[in-house]
Amino acid sequence: MFFHIVLERNMQLHPRHFGRNLRENLVSKLMKDVEGTCSGQHGFVVAITGIENIGKGMIRDGTGFVSFPIKYQCVVFRPFKGEILEAVVTMVNKMGFFAEAGPVQIFVSNHLIPDDMEFQTGDMPNYTTSDGSVKIQKDSEVRLKIIGTRVDATEIFCIGTIKDDFLGVINDPTTA
Amino acid sequence: MSEKGGKGFSLPKPSLKSTPPSSKDGKDDSSTKSKKGRRVQFDSEGSREPKSNFSSKFYRPAAASGKADWGKGGKGDTVANAKKKEPQPLELKIEQELPKSVKCMMDCEAADILQGIQEQMVMLSKDPTIKIPVSFDKGLQYANSTSRYTHPQSGRHVLETLKKYGVKDGEICVIANVCPETTDEVFALVPSLKAKRSTLSQPLKDVLSELTRFKRAT
């Protein structure tokens, strides 16, 4: 889910960036450092929407760098346990399938796929119901529920299920 | 206790709750019972993906054959229920994990904002040192694909009326993103609302019919 949040960070700036463009340099450094990163508490920082406040700079002893506390608003994307998401399938194998929702990777184990769906190998591996009416393959859209999350240094990885009511395939790419 | 567990399946951690109460019954078959009773609860934090297969593998078969396996049927079950037999439906707990100043956004609102930023980024990308991060592109693509409403503000306005019935912001956003057609779907997907089903059913029905007016034609 997307969130709008205010975060704070101390940015260090080298004296060569001082001058009339100090603020612009600070903001562009902030964007380079923060956008695209991921943390356990906030999730992925997708984009910075605005700067709330830039505090007074403090000169660091010994180095000459100046540290500015910056408060900024940003859009973050963080998955939650219990959340319902629509994801696009990226890979299918006999252990389950991988799907992607925004910057987040989700794995759905075959134990969390309804029992009436069987894995079919082939050029396009997929899970299909016994009557062939429902198929999960690469590029299918599925609605799933997140049941667990794990945060890495650079990404968030989730476990999902489609074994509950109202979950499963939304859109089959072959019929589209 | 570890001897009874035989192969050390009964882990000492109290949170794991993996030793069934009837393990005290089994003399020889305690190892098989504890094998079947072994269930790792992975909704606690941390990476437990390999074990998640086990928990779900034994999840339903254990429920089905639980009574037979666990010997003392009713008694065993009630004790097991106290310890966790049927896992509670996973509920959304955003407010507990994030500070209050955080504002949940619907996918359509996020799509609007990110679209605006992308237009600015086109100008910024002329600077070779600035790289547009991958997560931005993916986030924008995702928000656009899941954005269902032609007028996010109206959609938000309609859903805000649910707040007076005690529906939280996070739950409102899930309802907006999922775009349900019936109230049954809402209560199935957002189990935390089930407790208020009696008061919420009618207002929810009204809200859902209002929302269909703002749905984007796909």
XYZ file of all heavy atoms in Angstrom, chain A residues 1-5 28 31-32 35-36 41-42 44-49 75 77-78 80-86 95 100-103 105 109 111-112 143 145-150 157 159 163-167, chain B residues 42-43 46-47 49 53 56-57 60 90-94 97-99 101-105 107 110 113-114 117 121 124 129-130 133 135-136 138-139 142-143 146 148 170 173-174 177-179 184-185 188-189 191:
811
model
N 0.869 -1.193 0.000
C 0.000 0.000 0.000
C 0.897 1.233 0.000
O 1.971 1.226 0.585
C -0.823 -0.044 1.272
C -1.980 0.904 1.244
S -2.853 0.844 2.785
C -3.501 -0.800 2.747
N 0.406 2.274 -0.636
C 1.168 3.528 -0.663
C 0.853 4.360 0.563
O -0.277 4.396 1.047
C 0.789 4.337 -1.909
C 1.339 3.767 -3.180
C 0.538 2.999 -4.009
C 2.649 4.012 -3.559
C 1.038 2.462 -5.190
C 3.158 3.485 -4.738
C 2.350 2.708 -5.556
N 1.860 5.067 1.057
C 1.668 5.959 2.192
C 2.358 7.271 1.897
O 3.354 7.327 1.180
C 2.288 5.374 3.469
C 1.656 4.103 3.930
C 2.152 2.879 3.510
C 0.558 4.125 4.779
C 1.567 1.703 3.929
C -0.018 2.952 5.202
C 0.482 1.735 4.770
N 1.821 8.320 2.512
C 2.451 9.622 2.431
C 3.006 9.919 3.810
O 2.257 9.932 4.792
C 1.401 10.672 2.041
C 2.013 11.862 1.400
N 1.539 13.128 1.577
C 3.070 11.993 0.573
C 2.275 13.970 0.888
N 3.204 13.301 0.260
N 4.283 10.143 3.909
C 4.916 10.181 5.227
C 5.953 11.296 5.263
O 6.528 11.671 4.234
C 5.560 8.794 5.500
C 6.066 8.668 6.912
C 6.654 8.477 4.525
C 6.526 7.265 7.244
N 18.960 17.894 -4.262
C 19.287 16.857 -5.256
C 20.113 15.741 -4.608
O 19.969 14.568 -4.950
C 19.999 17.440 -6.475
O 21.210 18.005 -6.095
N 17.635 13.527 -2.870
C 16.925 12.662 -3.807
C 17.806 11.508 -4.256
O 17.369 10.365 -4.314
C 16.445 13.475 -5.016
C 15.261 14.348 -4.656
S 14.794 15.535 -5.901
C 14.341 14.530 -7.253
N 19.054 11.797 -4.533
C 19.956 10.718 -4.976
C 20.139 9.693 -3.877
O 20.207 8.495 -4.122
C 21.337 11.298 -5.320
C 21.494 11.733 -6.742
C 22.917 12.169 -7.024
C 22.911 13.565 -7.567
N 24.222 14.125 -7.841
N 15.798 8.296 -2.690
C 14.822 7.681 -3.602
C 15.309 6.322 -4.067
O 16.451 6.170 -4.486
C 14.579 8.603 -4.805
C 13.545 9.665 -4.500
C 13.232 10.551 -5.687
O 13.894 10.388 -6.724
O 12.343 11.406 -5.561
N 14.439 5.364 -3.999
C 14.813 4.017 -4.415
C 15.323 3.151 -3.283
O 15.524 1.959 -3.459
N 10.931 -0.252 8.283
C 9.814 0.435 8.903
C 8.929 1.131 7.887
O 7.712 1.128 8.012
C 10.348 1.467 9.897
C 9.292 1.863 10.875
C 9.720 3.007 11.746
O 10.801 3.573 11.583
N 8.880 3.383 12.668
N 9.552 1.742 6.886
C 8.752 2.544 5.953
C 8.544 1.874 4.610
O 7.708 2.291 3.849
C 9.425 3.904 5.709
C 9.762 4.620 6.965
N 11.040 4.976 7.306
C 8.988 5.008 7.997
C 11.028 5.557 8.486
N 9.797 5.590 8.930
N 9.616 0.918 0.694
C 10.336 1.567 -0.398
C 10.000 3.044 -0.443
O 8.829 3.410 -0.439
C 9.911 0.973 -1.751
C 10.565 -0.316 -2.064
C 9.942 -1.510 -1.759
C 11.808 -0.356 -2.676
C 10.545 -2.713 -2.045
C 12.413 -1.558 -2.956
C 11.784 -2.734 -2.639
N 11.023 3.888 -0.531
C 10.772 5.307 -0.766
C 10.651 5.456 -2.273
O 11.643 5.346 -3.006
C 11.918 6.178 -0.227
C 11.653 7.635 -0.553
C 12.065 5.989 1.274
N 9.437 5.678 -2.739
C 9.202 5.705 -4.175
C 9.550 7.072 -4.744
O 10.192 7.181 -5.782
C 7.727 5.336 -4.469
C 7.411 5.480 -5.924
C 7.432 3.934 -3.986
N 9.127 8.135 -4.070
C 9.423 9.471 -4.576
C 9.312 10.483 -3.451
O 8.499 10.328 -2.539
C 8.431 9.839 -5.678
N 10.126 11.514 -3.562
C 10.044 12.626 -2.612
C 9.088 13.644 -3.194
O 9.211 14.032 -4.364
C 11.435 13.252 -2.391
C 12.316 12.231 -1.669
C 11.330 14.530 -1.572
C 13.730 12.697 -1.473
N 8.092 14.057 -2.389
C 7.095 14.984 -2.919
C 7.352 16.424 -2.510
O 6.882 17.347 -3.161
C 5.681 14.595 -2.457
O 5.692 14.468 -1.036
C 5.237 13.295 -3.071
N 6.451 9.656 -0.811
C 5.520 8.551 -1.021
C 6.318 7.271 -0.819
O 7.369 7.080 -1.437
C 4.940 8.579 -2.459
C 4.110 7.341 -2.729
C 4.111 9.830 -2.658
N 6.091 2.873 -0.367
C 5.272 1.705 -0.635
C 5.702 0.606 0.313
O 6.855 0.192 0.299
C 5.459 1.243 -2.086
C 4.551 0.105 -2.456
C 3.235 0.340 -2.809
C 5.006 -1.203 -2.430
C 2.385 -0.713 -3.143
C 4.172 -2.258 -2.758
C 2.866 -2.007 -3.116
N 4.782 0.184 1.137
C 5.123 -0.871 2.090
C 4.003 -1.901 2.136
O 2.843 -1.546 2.303
C 5.324 -0.258 3.476
C 5.855 -1.297 4.439
C 5.792 -0.917 5.856
N 5.622 -2.126 6.655
C 5.775 -2.205 7.957
N 6.089 -1.133 8.630
N 5.600 -3.338 8.585
N 1.908 -4.913 3.875
C 1.558 -5.297 5.242
C 0.979 -6.686 5.255
O 0.315 -7.090 4.316
C 0.508 -4.342 5.814
C 1.099 -3.152 6.467
C 1.366 -2.011 5.746
C 1.420 -3.165 7.806
C 1.946 -0.917 6.349
C 1.991 -2.071 8.414
C 2.247 -0.943 7.681
N 1.200 -7.370 6.378
C 0.563 -8.679 6.549
C -0.945 -8.448 6.616
O -1.407 -7.555 7.315
C 1.012 -9.315 7.859
C 2.402 -9.890 7.771
C 2.677 -10.851 8.900
C 2.722 -10.167 10.227
N 4.080 -10.108 10.777
N -1.672 -9.276 5.906
C -3.120 -9.142 5.916
C -3.638 -8.249 4.805
O -4.836 -8.124 4.602
N -2.727 -7.631 4.065
C -3.158 -6.726 2.996
C -3.516 -7.531 1.747
O -2.918 -8.565 1.473
C -1.995 -5.785 2.687
C -2.324 -4.693 1.705
C -1.111 -3.840 1.378
O -0.126 -3.886 2.138
O -1.156 -3.151 0.352
N -4.480 -7.019 0.996
C -4.861 -7.651 -0.264
C -4.248 -6.841 -1.397
O -4.397 -5.617 -1.454
C -6.396 -7.657 -0.437
C -7.074 -8.175 0.822
C -6.795 -8.444 -1.673
C -6.864 -9.618 1.114
N -3.549 -7.529 -2.276
C -2.840 -6.835 -3.362
C -3.141 -7.514 -4.683
O -3.406 -8.705 -4.718
C -1.330 -7.000 -3.161
C -0.558 -6.113 -2.227
C 0.907 -6.496 -2.333
C -0.725 -4.665 -2.608
N -3.009 -6.739 -5.755
C -3.072 -7.371 -7.077
C -1.668 -7.370 -7.645
O -1.020 -6.327 -7.699
C -4.035 -6.590 -7.962
C -5.460 -6.849 -7.532
C -6.460 -5.988 -8.255
O -6.089 -5.332 -9.242
O -7.613 -5.971 -7.814
N 7.324 -25.248 -7.122
C 7.227 -24.873 -5.704
C 6.143 -23.817 -5.480
O 5.703 -23.611 -4.355
C 8.564 -24.296 -5.216
C 9.745 -25.201 -5.411
S 9.517 -26.785 -4.608
C 9.452 -26.292 -2.901
N 4.854 -9.894 -8.771
C 5.416 -8.586 -8.474
C 4.281 -7.590 -8.306
O 3.369 -7.550 -9.147
C 6.256 -8.156 -9.675
C 7.446 -7.320 -9.317
C 8.347 -7.117 -10.503
O 7.883 -6.509 -11.486
O 9.491 -7.591 -10.456
N 4.355 -6.793 -7.234
C 3.371 -5.719 -7.051
C 4.177 -4.467 -6.790
O 4.676 -4.268 -5.685
C 2.449 -6.029 -5.881
N 4.318 -3.622 -7.799
C 5.193 -2.469 -7.630
C 6.614 -2.949 -7.456
O 7.061 -3.873 -8.129
N 7.336 -2.364 -6.508
C 8.716 -2.773 -6.307
C 8.881 -4.026 -5.439
O 9.994 -4.455 -5.172
C 9.332 -1.560 -5.586
C 8.201 -0.843 -4.963
C 6.962 -1.188 -5.696
N 8.473 -8.010 -4.334
C 8.363 -9.373 -4.864
C 7.544 -10.217 -3.897
O 7.739 -10.132 -2.691
C 9.763 -10.006 -4.932
C 10.705 -9.341 -5.874
C 10.427 -9.734 -7.289
O 10.012 -10.853 -7.561
N 10.618 -8.812 -8.197
N 3.514 -20.009 -2.312
C 3.914 -21.408 -2.304
C 2.790 -22.279 -2.854
O 1.609 -21.916 -2.764
C 4.235 -21.804 -0.867
O 4.123 -23.182 -0.690
N 1.603 -24.738 -1.560
C 0.724 -25.123 -0.447
C -0.339 -24.078 -0.176
O -1.328 -24.340 0.512
C 1.560 -25.343 0.815
C 2.601 -26.394 0.635
N 2.291 -27.713 0.409
C 3.945 -26.313 0.609
C 3.403 -28.398 0.260
N 4.420 -27.586 0.380
N -0.111 -22.875 -0.696
C -1.079 -21.805 -0.490
C -1.829 -21.516 -1.777
O -2.431 -20.460 -1.935
C -0.341 -20.560 0.027
C 0.314 -20.772 1.381
C 1.176 -19.586 1.763
C -0.726 -21.013 2.458
N -5.049 -11.755 -7.503
C -5.289 -11.029 -6.257
C -4.837 -11.966 -5.144
O -5.282 -13.121 -5.082
C -6.772 -10.715 -6.116
C -7.069 -9.851 -4.890
C -8.523 -9.837 -4.620
N -9.218 -8.838 -5.400
C -10.542 -8.689 -5.399
N -11.292 -9.491 -4.684
N -11.106 -7.754 -6.117
N -3.248 -12.348 -0.846
C -3.168 -11.742 0.486
C -1.748 -11.959 0.997
O -1.218 -13.061 0.906
C -4.164 -12.429 1.418
C -4.156 -11.864 2.840
C -4.957 -12.713 3.782
C -6.349 -12.192 3.887
N -7.089 -12.675 5.014
N -1.177 -10.908 1.546
C 0.178 -11.014 2.098
C 0.088 -11.670 3.466
O -0.704 -11.249 4.314
C 0.800 -9.607 2.274
C 0.747 -8.818 0.975
C 2.208 -9.691 2.821
C 1.774 -9.191 -0.017
N 0.897 -12.704 3.684
C 0.875 -13.333 5.004
C 2.208 -13.231 5.733
O 2.293 -13.598 6.898
C 0.422 -14.805 4.926
C 1.233 -15.575 3.892
C -1.050 -14.886 4.592
C 0.883 -17.038 3.870
N 3.212 -12.740 5.066
C 4.489 -12.564 5.750
C 5.374 -11.646 4.939
O 5.278 -11.599 3.713
N 6.239 -10.891 5.643
C 7.151 -10.004 4.920
C 8.559 -10.166 5.468
O 8.759 -10.477 6.641
C 6.753 -8.522 5.068
O 6.729 -8.187 6.447
C 5.392 -8.240 4.479
N 9.513 -9.921 4.600
C 10.923 -9.947 5.014
C 11.612 -8.776 4.350
O 11.382 -8.510 3.171
C 11.569 -11.259 4.569
C 13.008 -11.409 5.066
C 13.734 -12.496 4.346
N 14.138 -12.054 3.033
C 14.521 -12.889 2.064
N 14.486 -14.192 2.255
N 14.904 -12.428 0.904
N 10.555 -8.587 0.521
C 10.087 -9.829 -0.062
C 8.909 -10.333 0.770
O 8.958 -10.274 1.989
C 11.233 -10.844 -0.039
C 10.961 -12.052 -0.852
C 11.135 -12.040 -2.222
C 10.504 -13.212 -0.250
C 10.877 -13.161 -2.980
C 10.237 -14.338 -0.998
C 10.423 -14.310 -2.370
N 5.508 -13.206 1.381
C 4.862 -14.487 1.109
C 3.381 -14.199 1.008
O 2.837 -13.425 1.812
C 5.095 -15.475 2.274
C 6.568 -15.697 2.494
C 4.385 -16.782 2.013
C 7.215 -16.521 1.447
N -5.316 -18.849 -1.271
C -6.190 -19.959 -0.871
C -7.418 -19.503 -0.095
O -8.129 -20.318 0.461
C -5.384 -20.952 -0.024
C -5.813 -22.379 -0.220
C -4.859 -23.344 0.461
C -5.262 -24.776 0.136
N -4.370 -25.770 0.713
N -7.655 -18.225 -0.042
C -8.833 -17.734 0.679
C -9.925 -17.300 -0.290
O -9.708 -17.249 -1.504
C -8.443 -16.523 1.552
C -7.803 -16.976 2.857
O -7.933 -18.159 3.200
O -7.169 -16.134 3.513
N -11.072 -16.934 0.297
C -12.191 -16.491 -0.538
C -11.847 -15.213 -1.285
O -11.179 -14.333 -0.757
C -13.419 -16.211 0.352
C -13.949 -17.482 0.971
O -13.690 -18.558 0.418
O -14.611 -17.380 2.017
N -12.348 -15.115 -2.499
C -12.205 -13.924 -3.330
C -10.763 -13.639 -3.741
O -10.443 -12.528 -4.139
C -12.802 -12.669 -2.639
C -14.265 -12.795 -2.356
C -14.707 -13.100 -1.077
C -15.204 -12.610 -3.358
C -16.060 -13.228 -0.795
C -16.564 -12.736 -3.091
C -16.990 -13.046 -1.810
N -9.897 -14.654 -3.635
C -8.521 -14.462 -4.086
C -8.282 -15.342 -5.302
O -8.958 -16.346 -5.484
C -7.527 -14.848 -2.970
C -7.619 -14.062 -1.673
C -6.617 -14.577 -0.662
C -7.397 -12.583 -1.916
N 4.703 -18.634 11.427
C 5.601 -17.673 10.814
C 5.003 -16.297 10.670
O 5.458 -15.499 9.910
C 6.132 -18.187 9.472
C 5.104 -18.261 8.404
C 4.882 -17.191 7.539
C 4.351 -19.413 8.256
C 3.932 -17.272 6.537
C 3.394 -19.476 7.261
C 3.191 -18.423 6.408
N 3.936 -16.045 11.429
C 3.491 -14.665 11.344
C 4.205 -13.786 12.328
O 3.999 -12.617 12.400
C 1.976 -14.540 11.487
C 1.496 -15.002 12.836
O 2.338 -15.541 13.587
O 0.337 -14.859 13.151
N 10.400 -11.858 10.796
C 11.609 -12.584 10.415
C 11.346 -13.479 9.251
O 10.219 -13.682 8.821
N 12.427 -13.986 8.714
C 12.290 -14.805 7.511
C 12.098 -16.238 7.927
O 12.982 -16.859 8.528
C 13.541 -14.656 6.659
O 14.668 -14.979 7.429
N 10.613 -18.387 5.477
C 9.972 -18.915 4.278
C 10.101 -20.422 4.126
O 9.150 -21.082 3.806
C 10.530 -18.245 3.020
C 10.120 -16.824 2.897
C 11.342 -15.940 2.837
O 12.420 -16.428 2.495
O 11.205 -14.769 3.151
N 6.407 -23.526 4.316
C 5.837 -24.663 3.595
C 5.337 -25.686 4.574
O 4.294 -26.278 4.403
C 6.908 -25.301 2.697
C 7.205 -24.407 1.509
O 6.356 -23.631 1.108
N 8.400 -24.503 0.997
N 2.045 -24.610 6.344
C 0.817 -24.684 5.569
C 0.546 -26.105 5.139
O -0.576 -26.491 4.913
C 0.925 -23.767 4.362
O 2.148 -23.978 3.734
N 1.604 -26.920 5.019
C 1.397 -28.311 4.620
C 0.612 -29.021 5.699
O -0.306 -29.764 5.417
C 2.761 -28.965 4.438
C 2.689 -30.311 3.760
C 4.100 -30.837 3.493
C 4.049 -32.122 2.714
N 5.367 -32.532 2.294
N -3.831 -27.610 6.874
C -5.167 -28.132 6.646
C -5.308 -29.605 6.953
O -6.274 -30.004 7.568
C -5.613 -27.807 5.234
C -5.875 -26.319 5.192
C -6.586 -25.858 4.009
N -6.522 -24.389 4.014
C -7.502 -23.597 4.400
N -8.641 -24.110 4.777
N -7.356 -22.300 4.409
N -5.751 -13.393 9.284
C -4.739 -12.357 9.382
C -5.390 -10.992 9.227
O -6.052 -10.718 8.243
C -3.736 -12.593 8.257
C -2.347 -12.048 8.405
C -1.750 -12.403 9.730
C -1.483 -12.640 7.308
N -5.192 -10.147 10.193
C -5.843 -8.848 10.142
C -4.823 -7.778 9.868
O -3.665 -7.879 10.245
C -6.547 -8.575 11.479
C -7.673 -9.545 11.726
C -8.511 -9.176 12.923
O -8.169 -8.228 13.630
O -9.508 -9.862 13.148
N -5.306 -6.724 9.253
C -4.449 -5.611 8.888
C -4.208 -4.764 10.126
O -5.136 -4.338 10.782
C -5.194 -4.791 7.833
C -4.391 -3.970 6.844
C -3.375 -4.817 6.149
C -5.325 -3.357 5.840
N -2.951 -4.514 10.439
C -2.676 -3.739 11.651
C -1.728 -2.600 11.322
O -0.656 -2.487 11.894
C -2.048 -4.656 12.705
C -3.032 -5.656 13.245
C -2.435 -6.429 14.397
C -3.451 -7.401 14.946
N -3.135 -8.776 14.730
N -2.150 -1.754 10.414
C -1.265 -0.688 9.968
C -1.036 0.321 11.072
O 0.077 0.754 11.329
C -1.870 0.009 8.731
C -1.916 -0.971 7.575
C -1.084 1.237 8.373
C -2.574 -0.429 6.359
N 1.674 -0.325 13.521
C 3.072 -0.441 13.100
C 3.650 0.863 12.590
O 4.857 1.026 12.541
C 3.189 -1.512 12.009
C 2.923 -2.893 12.556
C 3.269 -3.985 11.570
O 4.208 -3.802 10.789
O 2.594 -5.011 11.597
N 2.796 1.765 12.176
C 3.314 3.020 11.647
C 2.897 4.178 12.535
O 1.857 4.125 13.184
C 2.781 3.248 10.231
C 3.412 2.412 9.127
C 2.753 2.695 7.807
C 4.895 2.687 9.014
N 3.697 5.261 12.570
C 3.310 6.417 13.402
C 2.023 7.056 12.886
O 1.634 6.890 11.728
C 4.497 7.375 13.245
C 5.262 6.909 12.098
C 5.000 5.466 11.920
N 1.260 10.007 12.132
C 1.318 11.061 11.130
C 1.300 10.497 9.714
O 1.175 11.235 8.750
C 2.601 11.870 11.323
O 3.706 10.990 11.237
N 1.384 9.175 9.579
C 1.422 8.572 8.254
C 0.027 8.553 7.668
O -0.932 8.207 8.344
C 1.978 7.138 8.358
C 1.826 6.409 7.056
C 3.422 7.162 8.780
N -0.060 8.903 6.390
C -1.372 8.938 5.741
C -1.422 7.828 4.685
O -0.603 7.798 3.769
C -1.549 10.309 5.089
C -2.929 10.550 4.536
C -3.062 11.990 4.057
C -4.352 12.168 3.278
N -4.411 11.418 2.016
N -2.417 6.938 4.831
C -2.583 5.892 3.823
C -3.106 6.531 2.545
O -3.950 7.412 2.596
C -3.639 4.883 4.266
S -3.144 3.913 5.648
N -2.594 6.028 1.419
C -3.064 6.560 0.144
C -3.676 5.461 -0.689
O -3.168 4.346 -0.705
C -1.871 7.138 -0.631
C -1.458 8.487 -0.134
S 0.107 9.028 -0.781
C -0.035 8.763 -2.476
N -4.438 3.734 -4.274
C -3.567 3.590 -5.442
C -3.811 4.685 -6.474
O -2.871 5.158 -7.135
C -3.785 2.220 -6.100
C -3.206 1.091 -5.268
O -2.421 1.371 -4.335
O -3.525 -0.074 -5.541
N -2.083 7.832 -5.338
C -0.636 7.691 -5.537
C -0.296 7.841 -7.014
O 0.711 8.462 -7.370
C -0.165 6.338 -5.016
N -0.153 11.521 -7.965
C 1.039 12.200 -7.455
C 2.279 11.774 -8.225
O 3.109 12.598 -8.645
C 1.216 11.921 -5.944
C 0.096 12.590 -5.162
C 2.576 12.382 -5.448
C 0.164 12.370 -3.679
N 2.405 10.474 -8.437
C 3.612 9.978 -9.107
C 3.647 10.426 -10.566
O 4.725 10.679 -11.119
C 3.683 8.451 -9.009
C 3.882 7.893 -7.600
C 3.891 6.375 -7.605
C 5.172 8.389 -6.973
N 5.024 13.857 -10.569
C 6.462 13.859 -10.317
C 7.214 13.378 -11.558
O 8.305 13.866 -11.872
C 6.800 12.967 -9.104
C 6.266 13.621 -7.836
C 8.288 12.716 -8.983
C 6.414 12.780 -6.604
N 10.350 14.920 -13.482
C 11.576 14.136 -13.593
C 12.112 14.144 -15.010
O 13.315 13.986 -15.212
C 11.312 12.690 -13.181
C 11.383 12.503 -11.701
S 11.771 10.815 -11.318
C 11.931 10.894 -9.578
N 14.441 16.785 -14.990
C 15.613 16.483 -14.170
C 16.510 15.448 -14.823
O 17.716 15.437 -14.613
C 15.170 15.941 -12.797
C 14.545 16.942 -11.852
C 14.021 16.218 -10.621
C 15.554 17.982 -11.422
N 23.764 12.965 -13.902
C 24.070 12.345 -12.607
C 22.805 11.870 -11.898
O 22.880 11.085 -10.969
C 24.811 13.331 -11.683
O 24.001 14.503 -11.540
C 26.159 13.723 -12.257
N 21.661 12.369 -12.339
C 20.429 11.936 -11.668
C 19.828 10.757 -12.430
O 19.538 10.844 -13.619
C 19.398 13.094 -11.608
C 19.912 14.178 -10.675
C 18.055 12.583 -11.108
C 18.967 15.339 -10.518
N 15.082 6.169 -10.103
C 15.214 4.843 -9.511
C 14.180 3.858 -10.075
O 13.074 4.245 -10.457
C 14.973 5.078 -8.019
C 14.376 6.415 -7.902
C 14.680 7.185 -9.124
N 12.519 1.653 -8.497
C 11.305 1.496 -7.686
C 10.277 2.559 -8.041
O 9.073 2.336 -7.890
C 11.631 1.530 -6.199
O 12.260 2.737 -5.868
N 10.720 3.717 -8.529
C 9.769 4.744 -8.932
C 8.976 4.281 -10.149
O 7.752 4.377 -10.184
C 10.487 6.053 -9.242
C 9.579 7.128 -9.746
C 8.856 7.910 -8.858
C 9.406 7.336 -11.105
C 7.979 8.884 -9.312
C 8.532 8.302 -11.561
C 7.812 9.085 -10.679
N 8.503 1.250 -11.209
C 7.633 0.117 -10.864
C 6.442 0.585 -10.048
O 5.318 0.107 -10.238
C 8.420 -0.931 -10.070
C 9.411 -1.684 -10.915
C 9.987 -2.846 -10.161
C 10.844 -3.673 -11.100
N 11.555 -4.723 -10.402
N 6.701 1.520 -9.128
C 5.615 2.044 -8.308
C 4.575 2.757 -9.158
O 3.371 2.568 -8.976
N 2.618 0.234 -11.259
C 1.679 -0.505 -10.418
C 0.481 0.367 -10.067
O -0.673 -0.062 -10.160
C 2.398 -0.976 -9.141
C 1.496 -1.592 -8.123
C 0.986 -2.876 -8.303
C 1.134 -0.907 -6.974
C 0.133 -3.438 -7.370
C 0.298 -1.466 -6.043
C -0.201 -2.729 -6.241
O -1.039 -3.287 -5.319
N 0.754 1.615 -9.652
C -0.337 2.511 -9.258
C -1.277 2.758 -10.430
O -2.498 2.784 -10.263
C 0.226 3.831 -8.731
N -3.424 -0.456 -11.080
C -4.445 -0.814 -10.098
C -5.397 0.334 -9.818
O -6.342 0.185 -9.057
C -3.805 -1.247 -8.762
O -2.929 -0.213 -8.337
C -3.044 -2.540 -8.920
N -8.405 2.426 -10.096
C -9.689 2.012 -10.666
C -10.684 3.139 -10.857
O -11.734 2.954 -11.451
C -10.348 0.986 -9.747
C -9.640 -0.317 -9.694
C -9.957 -1.169 -10.930
N -8.937 -2.145 -11.170
C -8.718 -3.216 -10.418
N -9.471 -3.445 -9.385
N -7.754 -4.048 -10.703
N -6.534 2.535 7.039
C -5.904 1.433 6.308
C -6.948 0.525 5.685
O -6.822 0.093 4.527
N -8.490 2.147 2.682
C -7.610 2.074 1.503
C -7.635 0.691 0.879
O -7.632 0.560 -0.350
C -6.182 2.448 1.877
S -5.996 4.214 2.104
N -7.681 -0.341 1.702
C -7.743 -1.703 1.146
C -9.037 -1.876 0.362
O -9.041 -2.411 -0.752
C -7.640 -2.767 2.264
C -7.940 -4.160 1.731
C -6.255 -2.764 2.878
N -8.686 -0.048 -2.939
C -7.764 -0.670 -3.888
C -8.330 -1.956 -4.466
O -8.097 -2.276 -5.628
C -6.421 -0.970 -3.212
C -5.692 0.291 -2.827
O -5.948 1.350 -3.369
N -4.780 0.181 -1.873
N -9.058 -2.690 -3.646
C -9.577 -3.983 -4.079
C -10.784 -3.802 -4.996
O -11.017 -4.603 -5.903
C -9.949 -4.817 -2.834
C -10.986 -5.860 -3.136
C -8.714 -5.426 -2.232
N -11.557 -2.746 -4.767
C -12.721 -2.429 -5.582
C -13.753 -3.571 -5.538
O -14.046 -4.203 -6.554
C -12.247 -2.250 -7.024
S -13.048 -0.909 -7.851
N -20.113 -9.021 1.011
C -19.488 -10.290 1.428
C -18.003 -10.294 1.102
O -17.178 -10.764 1.875
C -20.137 -11.480 0.697
C -21.506 -11.789 1.262
O -21.755 -11.413 2.432
O -22.324 -12.415 0.561
N -17.692 -9.743 -0.058
C -16.294 -9.682 -0.475
C -15.496 -8.815 0.493
O -14.391 -9.152 0.904
C -16.230 -9.089 -1.886
C -14.934 -9.360 -2.624
C -14.984 -8.903 -4.081
O -16.089 -8.813 -4.641
O -13.907 -8.655 -4.621
N -14.943 -10.665 3.720
C -14.008 -11.794 3.561
C -12.566 -11.290 3.466
O -11.636 -11.896 4.002
C -14.364 -12.598 2.311
N -12.391 -10.163 2.762
C -11.025 -9.689 2.537
C -10.500 -8.836 3.684
O -9.286 -8.705 3.852
C -10.960 -8.886 1.229
C -11.276 -9.698 -0.026
C -11.309 -8.798 -1.247
C -10.268 -10.801 -0.233
N -11.044 -9.022 7.387
C -11.708 -9.708 8.496
C -11.881 -8.842 9.743
O -12.751 -9.110 10.562
C -10.811 -10.915 8.797
C -9.580 -10.714 8.033
C -9.787 -9.694 7.008
